[in-house]
Amino acid sequence: MSDIKAATLEYATRLGDDSVVLGHRISEWVSYGPFLEEDIAYGNVSLDYIGRARMFYTYAAELAADGRDEDDFAFMRNDREYRNLLLMEMPKGDFAYSQVRQLFADVYYTVLLPELLQSKDETLSAIAAKAIKETKYHLRRSRDWVLRLGDGTEESHKRTQKAVDQLWGYTHEMFDMDETEQLLADEGIGVDVSKLRDAWLKMVTDILTEATITVPEDSWAVRGGRTGYHTENLGHMLTEMQIVHRSNPGCKW
Amino acid sequence: MSDIKAATLEYATRLGDDSVVLGHRISEWVSYGPFLEEDIAYGNVSLDYIGRARMFYTYAAELAADGRDEDDFAFMRNDREYRNLLLMEMPKGDFAYSQVRQLFADVYYTVLLPELLQSKDETLSAIAAKAIKETKYHLRRSRDWVLRLGDGTEESHKRTQKAVDQLWGYTHEMFDMDETEQLLADEGIGVDVSKLRDAWLKMVTDILTEATITVPEDSWAVRGGRTGYHTENLGHMLTEMQIVHRSNPGCKW
Amino acid sequence: MTPQEEQFWAKIEAEEKIEPKDWMPDDYRKNLIRQISQHAHSEVIGMQPEGNWITRAPSLRRKAVLLSKVQDEAGHGLYLYSACETLGISRSEMIEQLQTGKAKYSSIFNYPTLTWADVGAIGWLVDGAAIVNQVSLQRTSYGPYSRGMIRICKEESFHQRQGYEAILALAKGSPDQKAMAQDALDRFYWPALMMFGPHDSESAHSQKSMQWKIKRETNDDLRQKFVDQTVKQIEVLGLEHPDKAIKWNEERGHYDSSDLNWDEFWSVINGNGHCNRQRIEHHVAAHDEGEWVRDAISAYNEKKRAKKAQNAA
Amino acid sequence: MTPQEEQFWAKIEAEEKIEPKDWMPDDYRKNLIRQISQHAHSEVIGMQPEGNWITRAPSLRRKAVLLSKVQDEAGHGLYLYSACETLGISRSEMIEQLQTGKAKYSSIFNYPTLTWADVGAIGWLVDGAAIVNQVSLQRTSYGPYSRGMIRICKEESFHQRQGYEAILALAKGSPDQKAMAQDALDRFYWPALMMFGPHDSESAHSQKSMQWKIKRETNDDLRQKFVDQTVKQIEVLGLEHPDKAIKWNEERGHYDSSDLNWDEFWSVINGNGHCNRQRIEHHVAAHDEGEWVRDAISAYNEKKRAKKAQNAA
């Protein structure tokens, strides 16, 4: 396998991991939302991410060409093999926590996907095209929520500020590059995320400010998702996600 | 295998299941207790139950004589195969909930074990002998807690009463007999639990009354643990308990 | 009979729909509220037993299908709450009735989902039974309910096919998977039959509902339809029929089947199901935890309104 | 020097223990409180990374061993809190200092436990490093602390053997298990070395502590002992040594090893570890949730006291 192909396989896996992990976290809200409309909305967003994961993994499987399919990528790798950003694996927390995480992710995809759309790799570009539309809806939703929660009651403001403070340190690694991603960026296949932080920070700052929320200082940063060095949360999540699949080796569903 | 041997195997498995499930639930409290002494006490009680499970399963494995060991019984059966009483699998809930469940279980063993001690089956009798000593300590502890919580603050009283009301309907099946257990009771091997309810009820009533807690009416009863018909809680518990074992088939630890 | 009553009955007679603005007898309204809200609550509570497996679905495709299905149920709940609101009851009143036990939901959801196969069984059997009932309710006399049923039936049929397909994959899979499918069928077949309610002779609300054309076919007739259609489906799966007495009756043109265990039915309804308490506690907990969120929205909207008013002044 | 001071230093000189009732310099007391409470907090926070695997332990025996170990840690915490209380600080003050970040705990517990092998690695390497330190602290000048160390060391040695044995089972197991063991070794080896603290030249508290005989050996000397003893253990496991530069130095009679990445050490201490926030949040959450329980005990005891007083009157 060429270096570029191997890097693309790794890249598609990373993006698939981000999607499946965040999609799973969102799905934990179903039947637990503050009202019925929100259960539906959560279902929608989760479905978009699961769908995205399937496209990325299917492409990864195609590149790997070793007989694995999308489910092997999702269900047969442990947390040391997962390559998602740590932000995605943080537990669902309260409603403010989930919506703030969602805002951070949605703005990230808002600045990332138009770049991925330009990829020379047609599959990645096609996935980006589909995802861009979804992300517009996602961002409208998480932005609205953060505005309402931040500028709602004293309690909702406090919870929202706390969530922002708790999650901020997990946003830095979203803009880290490593050799694999640099190679793909140089080839016009992957995105140079290190160039996206300013745009992300501006959008997030605008929204948080409107929501009367203070943007935290960059006093700490946790990193490791892209090297499979995760928080303890991911293992518990994968335990639940993988139990049926792993308990019945080699079965079709 | 003779009928009696098969029944004894089933019986040892049931008693092992009760122990491992309750032991696991208690272990969920470690590092979550209201103070350090309580973390230690929880650890103690959990250890006793895990130890008991190992003795019962080891005996079951000996009777089965099909190459399985204690861990095969604990980690390779799913919730449809588990035969524990439903009371044991209920989630940890708050501290009052766990202590009330513990009281119900401890009084149960207080009336059950002296009978099992009389078993013609020497292994069962020996396990009972060891467990009786532990149970004395367990009951002293859960009794003290229920007294203090029931007759403590308004809030602790409310939580304790709620826990009693929520768990009461799961206590009835503890005194159900089926053919297997009847056969063993007739043979002087197993205990006729249907004869134990009065004694259990009297002890529990005395303690609850002293704790200023109202003994609920018998308005509902959920049954099914002994036939493998569980609540949705057990599946989630076994998911976590079995994931590492099942993800590495055939390994030694 | 008053002119209003005459007009009402004439419409019923002529198979015309009663609409929210129309006059209707108090009992008709009450009965409808009872039936529609129960239906809505069933959709909402029904999210839980299947939702229990969203995080454990064994493939990404199944996970997506299940998510989508549970989402549809939420949508049906919403739609039915709206239909019911046209009768003069608010959603928060209905939710309170559900949480206090004053309003019911289908007792089928008091049974636990114990394995992945249960998700398939619910889609196939529970949604299947629901559809048989709902198809007949497409012709119900109350307009918003009838239109709701037409819309809901389409999605339910889709769910049923997906459920059946999920069970089929298991039935044709490994021995463990097949056993899982059989087990789910054995557990959900009987409760599904009971979803149609007591025998006609013992059904409290049936007769009046039939006259009002709120109900269009009797419990026993609907149940027979379901029994008949399920026999062939079980054959295709290669599973054993849970009813050993099932037998084609040439004369009746229907399958004969065993008597149902109504004691168990009533026992579960009356609180002895595995999940009666759990389902309501789950609903209450989620609702209570959502209170600060709903408060935040009100406060936010109030601020915006005040600001707008200030700007306008 | 006051007579008190002279007496104090004479005792130190003579290797006699300072006891709670003895006079001691303020700084000695403060330093001891800092060190013992940090040690106690480390035992308590240390329950979390291993506790994370209690519910997932892959065999009943391992589950029991792990439960027992975590329970011992709680016991050590308790014992050390008591030792520290003899210096005039209450347990609740210490807990508050922990929760507000004023008191520290060993930074090793800011690293996550990611696989089952990590439990073994912690027992073997982290407890192993702790013992090297604690053995030297058995001779510490403060009586209660010294006696605590003697007791704790016995149990820790037991834990270390169990941890090593757990890793051995993995190292001799399937390829996946062996990989898991190697991975855990690779991740925990370096942080374990850093447990001994900065180089002697950069250690803020070391010199004074040595004079007071609170500390008995320097960070670097203790670290060297640990490095030396671990080489052979890794060989027996058949795993690769994480330090490619490890080499026997005949002249020194010790192993030479790579420089440590102190930037990472400080980075983790200063908040960039995976679990800094998680550990404290967990502790605070459990403590807060326990408040109503502690209140209940007070209320109950108060009632009993009042009743007794009434009966006596």
Side-chain angles (χ1 to χ4, degrees), chain A residues 24 31-32 34 37 40 44 46-47 71 148 151-152 240-241 245 252-253, chain C residues 55-56 58-60 62-64 67 71 78 91 177 282 294 300 303:
Chain A
H24 185 101
S31 87
Y32 289 90
E37 287 81 352
I40 298 175
N44 260 326
S46 178
L47 270 170
D71 288 332
R148 288 187 286 178
D151 197 14
E240 187 157 348
M241 179 172 139
H245 191 96
K252 294 280 159 217
W253 304 96
Chain C
T55 54
R56 291 179 285 177
S59 77
L60 291 178
R62 293 289 175 202
K63 192 182 178 81
L67 258 171
Q71 194 195 18
L78 211 53
R91 205 209 293 188
Q177 285 178 306
H282 176 136
R294 297 188 298 274
Y300 178 84
K303 282 183 197 176

mmCIF file of all heavy atoms in Angstrom, chain A residues 24 31-32 34 37 40 44 46-47 71 148 151-152 240-241 245 252-253, chain C residues 55-56 58-60 62-64 67 71 78 91 177 282 294 300 303:
data_model
loop_
_atom_site.group_PDB
_atom_site.id
_atom_site.type_symbol
_atom_site.label_atom_id
_atom_site.label_comp_id
_atom_site.label_asym_id
_atom_site.label_seq_id
_atom_site.Cartn_x
_atom_site.Cartn_y
_atom_site.Cartn_z
ATOM 1 N N HIS A 24 -22.940 8.099 18.847
ATOM 2 C CA HIS A 24 -23.346 7.238 19.958
ATOM 3 C C HIS A 24 -23.701 8.078 21.185
ATOM 4 O O HIS A 24 -24.719 7.841 21.842
ATOM 5 C CB HIS A 24 -22.213 6.265 20.301
ATOM 6 C CG HIS A 24 -22.576 5.261 21.344
ATOM 7 N ND1 HIS A 24 -22.909 3.971 21.045
ATOM 8 C CD2 HIS A 24 -22.689 5.369 22.688
ATOM 9 C CE1 HIS A 24 -23.198 3.320 22.160
ATOM 10 N NE2 HIS A 24 -23.070 4.148 23.173
ATOM 11 N N SER A 31 -35.119 9.448 24.449
ATOM 12 C CA SER A 31 -36.103 9.202 25.517
ATOM 13 C C SER A 31 -35.680 9.849 26.833
ATOM 14 O O SER A 31 -36.360 9.688 27.840
ATOM 15 C CB SER A 31 -36.424 7.715 25.715
ATOM 16 O OG SER A 31 -35.531 7.096 26.605
ATOM 17 N N TYR A 32 -34.588 10.597 26.828
ATOM 18 C CA TYR A 32 -34.157 11.313 28.032
ATOM 19 C C TYR A 32 -34.184 12.836 27.854
ATOM 20 O O TYR A 32 -33.716 13.561 28.714
ATOM 21 C CB TYR A 32 -32.746 10.896 28.440
ATOM 22 C CG TYR A 32 -32.658 9.502 29.007
ATOM 23 C CD1 TYR A 32 -32.425 8.411 28.190
ATOM 24 C CD2 TYR A 32 -32.828 9.279 30.372
ATOM 25 C CE1 TYR A 32 -32.357 7.118 28.709
ATOM 26 C CE2 TYR A 32 -32.751 8.004 30.895
ATOM 27 C CZ TYR A 32 -32.512 6.930 30.058
ATOM 28 O OH TYR A 32 -32.442 5.663 30.580
ATOM 29 N N PRO A 34 -35.554 16.853 27.292
ATOM 30 C CA PRO A 34 -36.441 17.684 28.121
ATOM 31 C C PRO A 34 -37.876 17.734 27.591
ATOM 32 O O PRO A 34 -38.780 18.088 28.336
ATOM 33 C CB PRO A 34 -35.790 19.061 28.081
ATOM 34 C CG PRO A 34 -34.946 19.071 26.853
ATOM 35 C CD PRO A 34 -34.517 17.656 26.608
ATOM 36 N N GLU A 37 -40.046 16.916 21.298
ATOM 37 C CA GLU A 37 -39.428 17.484 20.098
ATOM 38 C C GLU A 37 -37.914 17.301 20.136
ATOM 39 O O GLU A 37 -37.274 17.126 19.100
ATOM 40 C CB GLU A 37 -39.754 18.987 19.986
ATOM 41 C CG GLU A 37 -41.184 19.308 19.582
ATOM 42 C CD GLU A 37 -42.170 19.243 20.749
ATOM 43 O OE1 GLU A 37 -41.757 18.787 21.844
ATOM 44 O OE2 GLU A 37 -43.343 19.632 20.560
ATOM 45 N N ILE A 40 -36.740 13.872 19.220
ATOM 46 C CA ILE A 40 -36.720 13.720 17.763
ATOM 47 C C ILE A 40 -35.483 14.369 17.176
ATOM 48 O O ILE A 40 -34.788 13.791 16.337
ATOM 49 C CB ILE A 40 -38.000 14.332 17.151
ATOM 50 C CG1 ILE A 40 -39.236 13.583 17.675
ATOM 51 C CG2 ILE A 40 -37.939 14.284 15.634
ATOM 52 C CD1 ILE A 40 -40.550 14.171 17.227
ATOM 53 N N ASN A 44 -32.374 12.735 15.060
ATOM 54 C CA ASN A 44 -31.931 13.211 13.756
ATOM 55 C C ASN A 44 -30.433 13.420 13.679
ATOM 56 O O ASN A 44 -29.772 12.957 12.754
ATOM 57 C CB ASN A 44 -32.589 14.580 13.474
ATOM 58 C CG ASN A 44 -33.778 14.426 12.563
ATOM 59 O OD1 ASN A 44 -33.784 13.570 11.684
ATOM 60 N ND2 ASN A 44 -34.781 15.253 12.780
ATOM 61 N N SER A 46 -28.096 12.330 15.680
ATOM 62 C CA SER A 46 -27.387 11.072 15.866
ATOM 63 C C SER A 46 -27.355 10.265 14.563
ATOM 64 O O SER A 46 -26.320 9.742 14.166
ATOM 65 C CB SER A 46 -28.048 10.262 16.980
ATOM 66 O OG SER A 46 -27.390 9.032 17.137
ATOM 67 N N LEU A 47 -28.503 10.196 13.917
ATOM 68 C CA LEU A 47 -28.585 9.469 12.648
ATOM 69 C C LEU A 47 -27.618 10.027 11.617
ATOM 70 O O LEU A 47 -26.979 9.266 10.881
ATOM 71 C CB LEU A 47 -30.007 9.556 12.095
ATOM 72 C CG LEU A 47 -30.953 8.452 12.525
ATOM 73 C CD1 LEU A 47 -32.383 8.797 12.119
ATOM 74 C CD2 LEU A 47 -30.545 7.121 11.910
ATOM 75 N N ASP A 71 -18.614 -2.544 9.937
ATOM 76 C CA ASP A 71 -18.851 -2.992 11.311
ATOM 77 C C ASP A 71 -17.582 -3.508 11.987
ATOM 78 O O ASP A 71 -17.444 -3.408 13.205
ATOM 79 C CB ASP A 71 -19.946 -4.062 11.334
ATOM 80 C CG ASP A 71 -21.315 -3.458 11.056
ATOM 81 O OD1 ASP A 71 -21.514 -2.260 11.380
ATOM 82 O OD2 ASP A 71 -22.181 -4.161 10.509
ATOM 83 N N ARG A 148 -29.999 30.197 24.173
ATOM 84 C CA ARG A 148 -31.128 30.146 25.109
ATOM 85 C C ARG A 148 -30.708 29.716 26.504
ATOM 86 O O ARG A 148 -31.196 30.232 27.506
ATOM 87 C CB ARG A 148 -32.210 29.198 24.566
ATOM 88 C CG ARG A 148 -32.940 29.812 23.361
ATOM 89 C CD ARG A 148 -34.114 28.972 22.933
ATOM 90 N NE ARG A 148 -33.677 27.769 22.238
ATOM 91 C CZ ARG A 148 -34.514 26.835 21.778
ATOM 92 N NH1 ARG A 148 -35.816 26.963 21.943
ATOM 93 N NH2 ARG A 148 -34.052 25.767 21.152
ATOM 94 N N ASP A 151 -28.294 32.536 28.033
ATOM 95 C CA ASP A 151 -29.011 33.770 28.361
ATOM 96 C C ASP A 151 -30.420 33.457 28.875
ATOM 97 O O ASP A 151 -31.349 34.237 28.664
ATOM 98 C CB ASP A 151 -29.070 34.670 27.115
ATOM 99 C CG ASP A 151 -29.430 36.113 27.468
ATOM 100 O OD1 ASP A 151 -29.360 36.462 28.666
ATOM 101 O OD2 ASP A 151 -29.795 36.866 26.553
ATOM 102 N N GLY A 152 -30.580 32.325 29.516
ATOM 103 C CA GLY A 152 -31.903 31.944 30.037
ATOM 104 C C GLY A 152 -32.038 32.291 31.503
ATOM 105 O O GLY A 152 -32.066 33.469 31.864
ATOM 106 N N GLU A 240 -20.386 -0.987 26.032
ATOM 107 C CA GLU A 240 -21.806 -1.115 25.759
ATOM 108 C C GLU A 240 -22.062 -1.269 24.262
ATOM 109 O O GLU A 240 -22.818 -2.127 23.829
ATOM 110 C CB GLU A 240 -22.518 0.127 26.303
ATOM 111 C CG GLU A 240 -24.003 -0.004 26.215
ATOM 112 C CD GLU A 240 -24.730 0.908 27.204
ATOM 113 O OE1 GLU A 240 -24.097 1.469 28.103
ATOM 114 O OE2 GLU A 240 -25.949 1.043 27.034
ATOM 115 N N MET A 241 -21.392 -0.451 23.497
ATOM 116 C CA MET A 241 -21.632 -0.455 22.055
ATOM 117 C C MET A 241 -21.270 -1.794 21.412
ATOM 118 O O MET A 241 -21.913 -2.245 20.477
ATOM 119 C CB MET A 241 -20.807 0.676 21.427
ATOM 120 C CG MET A 241 -20.932 0.784 19.927
ATOM 121 S SD MET A 241 -20.102 2.290 19.335
ATOM 122 C CE MET A 241 -19.313 1.626 17.871
ATOM 123 N N HIS A 245 -22.235 -7.469 19.507
ATOM 124 C CA HIS A 245 -21.423 -7.842 18.346
ATOM 125 C C HIS A 245 -20.288 -8.792 18.758
ATOM 126 O O HIS A 245 -20.081 -9.836 18.153
ATOM 127 C CB HIS A 245 -20.866 -6.580 17.695
ATOM 128 C CG HIS A 245 -20.238 -6.817 16.361
ATOM 129 N ND1 HIS A 245 -20.919 -6.632 15.175
ATOM 130 C CD2 HIS A 245 -19.007 -7.258 16.017
ATOM 131 C CE1 HIS A 245 -20.123 -6.931 14.159
ATOM 132 N NE2 HIS A 245 -18.957 -7.310 14.649
ATOM 133 N N LYS A 252 -23.754 -12.355 11.255
ATOM 134 C CA LYS A 252 -24.365 -11.281 10.459
ATOM 135 C C LYS A 252 -25.617 -10.799 11.183
ATOM 136 O O LYS A 252 -26.272 -11.568 11.877
ATOM 137 C CB LYS A 252 -24.764 -11.790 9.066
ATOM 138 C CG LYS A 252 -23.586 -12.193 8.208
ATOM 139 C CD LYS A 252 -22.921 -10.965 7.579
ATOM 140 C CE LYS A 252 -21.484 -11.267 7.147
ATOM 141 N NZ LYS A 252 -20.571 -10.140 7.360
ATOM 142 N N TRP A 253 -25.963 -9.573 10.976
ATOM 143 C CA TRP A 253 -27.109 -8.982 11.664
ATOM 144 C C TRP A 253 -28.091 -8.374 10.680
ATOM 145 O O TRP A 253 -28.967 -7.635 11.015
ATOM 146 C CB TRP A 253 -26.642 -7.924 12.668
ATOM 147 C CG TRP A 253 -25.671 -8.516 13.627
ATOM 148 C CD1 TRP A 253 -24.312 -8.485 13.549
ATOM 149 C CD2 TRP A 253 -25.971 -9.292 14.812
ATOM 150 N NE1 TRP A 253 -23.742 -9.166 14.600
ATOM 151 C CE2 TRP A 253 -24.756 -9.678 15.389
ATOM 152 C CE3 TRP A 253 -27.172 -9.691 15.418
ATOM 153 C CZ2 TRP A 253 -24.679 -10.451 16.551
ATOM 154 C CZ3 TRP A 253 -27.093 -10.438 16.569
ATOM 155 C CH2 TRP A 253 -25.869 -10.816 17.124
ATOM 156 N N THR C 55 -27.970 1.723 22.172
ATOM 157 C CA THR C 55 -26.526 1.780 22.423
ATOM 158 C C THR C 55 -25.835 0.418 22.272
ATOM 159 O O THR C 55 -24.622 0.347 22.326
ATOM 160 C CB THR C 55 -26.238 2.312 23.841
ATOM 161 O OG1 THR C 55 -26.965 1.522 24.777
ATOM 162 C CG2 THR C 55 -26.662 3.771 23.975
ATOM 163 N N ARG C 56 -26.634 -0.644 22.097
ATOM 164 C CA ARG C 56 -26.018 -1.977 21.966
ATOM 165 C C ARG C 56 -26.294 -2.647 20.619
ATOM 166 O O ARG C 56 -25.960 -3.819 20.433
ATOM 167 C CB ARG C 56 -26.517 -2.880 23.109
ATOM 168 C CG ARG C 56 -26.001 -2.470 24.469
ATOM 169 C CD ARG C 56 -26.535 -3.367 25.584
ATOM 170 N NE ARG C 56 -27.931 -3.090 25.897
ATOM 171 C CZ ARG C 56 -28.657 -3.762 26.799
ATOM 172 N NH1 ARG C 56 -28.114 -4.770 27.459
ATOM 173 N NH2 ARG C 56 -29.911 -3.437 27.039
ATOM 174 N N PRO C 58 -26.088 -4.302 17.230
ATOM 175 C CA PRO C 58 -24.874 -5.017 16.832
ATOM 176 C C PRO C 58 -24.274 -4.626 15.482
ATOM 177 O O PRO C 58 -23.228 -5.166 15.109
ATOM 178 C CB PRO C 58 -25.331 -6.481 16.810
ATOM 179 C CG PRO C 58 -26.793 -6.412 16.538
ATOM 180 C CD PRO C 58 -27.294 -5.131 17.144
ATOM 181 N N SER C 59 -24.901 -3.744 14.735
ATOM 182 C CA SER C 59 -24.270 -3.243 13.511
ATOM 183 C C SER C 59 -24.680 -1.789 13.327
ATOM 184 O O SER C 59 -25.685 -1.345 13.892
ATOM 185 C CB SER C 59 -24.682 -4.067 12.280
ATOM 186 O OG SER C 59 -25.990 -3.722 11.861
ATOM 187 N N LEU C 60 -23.904 -1.075 12.544
ATOM 188 C CA LEU C 60 -24.215 0.342 12.352
ATOM 189 C C LEU C 60 -25.547 0.511 11.619
ATOM 190 O O LEU C 60 -26.325 1.412 11.917
ATOM 191 C CB LEU C 60 -23.093 1.040 11.582
ATOM 192 C CG LEU C 60 -21.778 1.193 12.354
ATOM 193 C CD1 LEU C 60 -20.722 1.851 11.471
ATOM 194 C CD2 LEU C 60 -21.978 1.997 13.633
ATOM 195 N N ARG C 62 -28.167 -1.513 11.714
ATOM 196 C CA ARG C 62 -29.260 -1.768 12.668
ATOM 197 C C ARG C 62 -29.403 -0.623 13.658
ATOM 198 O O ARG C 62 -30.502 -0.305 14.092
ATOM 199 C CB ARG C 62 -29.005 -3.063 13.428
ATOM 200 C CG ARG C 62 -29.065 -4.316 12.590
ATOM 201 C CD ARG C 62 -30.481 -4.657 12.155
ATOM 202 N NE ARG C 62 -30.459 -5.797 11.252
ATOM 203 C CZ ARG C 62 -31.416 -6.088 10.384
ATOM 204 N NH1 ARG C 62 -32.512 -5.325 10.302
ATOM 205 N NH2 ARG C 62 -31.304 -7.119 9.598
ATOM 206 N N LYS C 63 -28.296 -0.045 14.023
ATOM 207 C CA LYS C 63 -28.338 1.073 14.961
ATOM 208 C C LYS C 63 -29.090 2.243 14.323
ATOM 209 O O LYS C 63 -29.945 2.864 14.964
ATOM 210 C CB LYS C 63 -26.908 1.483 15.321
ATOM 211 C CG LYS C 63 -26.755 2.425 16.493
ATOM 212 C CD LYS C 63 -25.268 2.766 16.667
ATOM 213 C CE LYS C 63 -25.017 3.747 17.780
ATOM 214 N NZ LYS C 63 -24.988 3.128 19.103
ATOM 215 N N ALA C 64 -28.782 2.509 13.064
ATOM 216 C CA ALA C 64 -29.452 3.604 12.357
ATOM 217 C C ALA C 64 -30.944 3.309 12.200
ATOM 218 O O ALA C 64 -31.793 4.177 12.426
ATOM 219 C CB ALA C 64 -28.792 3.829 10.997
ATOM 220 N N LEU C 67 -32.607 3.702 15.646
ATOM 221 C CA LEU C 67 -32.697 5.126 15.996
ATOM 222 C C LEU C 67 -33.842 5.784 15.249
ATOM 223 O O LEU C 67 -34.642 6.531 15.816
ATOM 224 C CB LEU C 67 -31.402 5.825 15.565
ATOM 225 C CG LEU C 67 -30.366 6.149 16.616
ATOM 226 C CD1 LEU C 67 -29.098 6.629 15.938
ATOM 227 C CD2 LEU C 67 -30.866 7.198 17.590
ATOM 228 N N GLN C 71 -37.247 7.335 16.808
ATOM 229 C CA GLN C 71 -37.542 8.720 16.480
ATOM 230 C C GLN C 71 -38.942 8.848 15.886
ATOM 231 O O GLN C 71 -39.683 9.783 16.207
ATOM 232 C CB GLN C 71 -36.488 9.172 15.494
ATOM 233 C CG GLN C 71 -36.421 10.652 15.276
ATOM 234 C CD GLN C 71 -35.614 10.959 14.043
ATOM 235 O OE1 GLN C 71 -35.390 10.084 13.190
ATOM 236 N NE2 GLN C 71 -35.181 12.198 13.932
ATOM 237 N N LEU C 78 -46.019 12.861 19.278
ATOM 238 C CA LEU C 78 -46.242 14.292 19.063
ATOM 239 C C LEU C 78 -47.510 14.525 18.259
ATOM 240 O O LEU C 78 -48.358 15.363 18.584
ATOM 241 C CB LEU C 78 -45.040 14.822 18.278
ATOM 242 C CG LEU C 78 -44.588 16.247 18.492
ATOM 243 C CD1 LEU C 78 -44.353 16.519 19.966
ATOM 244 C CD2 LEU C 78 -43.300 16.468 17.700
ATOM 245 N N ARG C 91 -51.167 19.207 26.314
ATOM 246 C CA ARG C 91 -50.170 18.144 26.392
ATOM 247 C C ARG C 91 -49.676 17.976 27.820
ATOM 248 O O ARG C 91 -49.495 16.845 28.278
ATOM 249 C CB ARG C 91 -48.974 18.440 25.484
ATOM 250 C CG ARG C 91 -48.260 17.156 25.081
ATOM 251 C CD ARG C 91 -46.771 17.299 24.808
ATOM 252 N NE ARG C 91 -46.478 18.107 23.637
ATOM 253 C CZ ARG C 91 -45.250 18.240 23.135
ATOM 254 N NH1 ARG C 91 -44.226 17.582 23.695
ATOM 255 N NH2 ARG C 91 -45.027 19.017 22.107
ATOM 256 N N GLN C 177 -28.094 -17.199 17.501
ATOM 257 C CA GLN C 177 -28.979 -16.146 16.999
ATOM 258 C C GLN C 177 -30.393 -16.678 16.789
ATOM 259 O O GLN C 177 -31.381 -16.021 17.115
ATOM 260 C CB GLN C 177 -28.449 -15.579 15.674
ATOM 261 C CG GLN C 177 -27.245 -14.660 15.833
ATOM 262 C CD GLN C 177 -26.731 -14.165 14.486
ATOM 263 O OE1 GLN C 177 -26.435 -14.970 13.588
ATOM 264 N NE2 GLN C 177 -26.624 -12.855 14.335
ATOM 265 N N HIS C 282 -38.774 6.362 34.631
ATOM 266 C CA HIS C 282 -37.899 6.877 33.570
ATOM 267 C C HIS C 282 -38.502 8.162 32.990
ATOM 268 O O HIS C 282 -37.814 9.176 32.825
ATOM 269 C CB HIS C 282 -37.751 5.792 32.497
ATOM 270 C CG HIS C 282 -36.948 6.186 31.289
ATOM 271 N ND1 HIS C 282 -36.016 5.369 30.723
ATOM 272 C CD2 HIS C 282 -36.945 7.297 30.520
ATOM 273 C CE1 HIS C 282 -35.472 5.956 29.670
ATOM 274 N NE2 HIS C 282 -36.025 7.130 29.519
ATOM 275 N N ARG C 294 -36.596 23.723 30.201
ATOM 276 C CA ARG C 294 -37.840 24.385 29.786
ATOM 277 C C ARG C 294 -37.949 25.773 30.420
ATOM 278 O O ARG C 294 -38.381 26.731 29.768
ATOM 279 C CB ARG C 294 -39.045 23.500 30.147
ATOM 280 C CG ARG C 294 -39.036 22.143 29.404
ATOM 281 C CD ARG C 294 -40.326 21.347 29.597
ATOM 282 N NE ARG C 294 -40.583 20.978 30.974
ATOM 283 C CZ ARG C 294 -40.111 19.882 31.593
ATOM 284 N NH1 ARG C 294 -39.338 19.030 30.920
ATOM 285 N NH2 ARG C 294 -40.413 19.628 32.845
ATOM 286 N N TYR C 300 -35.662 32.954 28.395
ATOM 287 C CA TYR C 300 -35.015 33.536 27.211
ATOM 288 C C TYR C 300 -36.042 34.237 26.324
ATOM 289 O O TYR C 300 -35.861 35.382 25.908
ATOM 290 C CB TYR C 300 -34.294 32.430 26.437
ATOM 291 C CG TYR C 300 -33.632 32.888 25.165
ATOM 292 C CD1 TYR C 300 -32.357 33.459 25.185
ATOM 293 C CD2 TYR C 300 -34.262 32.736 23.931
ATOM 294 C CE1 TYR C 300 -31.738 33.867 24.020
ATOM 295 C CE2 TYR C 300 -33.652 33.152 22.755
ATOM 296 C CZ TYR C 300 -32.383 33.714 22.802
ATOM 297 O OH TYR C 300 -31.768 34.117 21.645
ATOM 298 N N LYS C 303 -37.198 37.447 27.832
ATOM 299 C CA LYS C 303 -36.206 38.515 27.635
ATOM 300 C C LYS C 303 -36.288 39.103 26.229
ATOM 301 O O LYS C 303 -36.221 40.310 26.037
ATOM 302 C CB LYS C 303 -34.793 37.966 27.864
ATOM 303 C CG LYS C 303 -34.410 37.807 29.331
ATOM 304 C CD LYS C 303 -32.972 37.333 29.453
ATOM 305 C CE LYS C 303 -32.689 36.774 30.841
ATOM 306 N NZ LYS C 303 -31.331 36.230 30.966
#
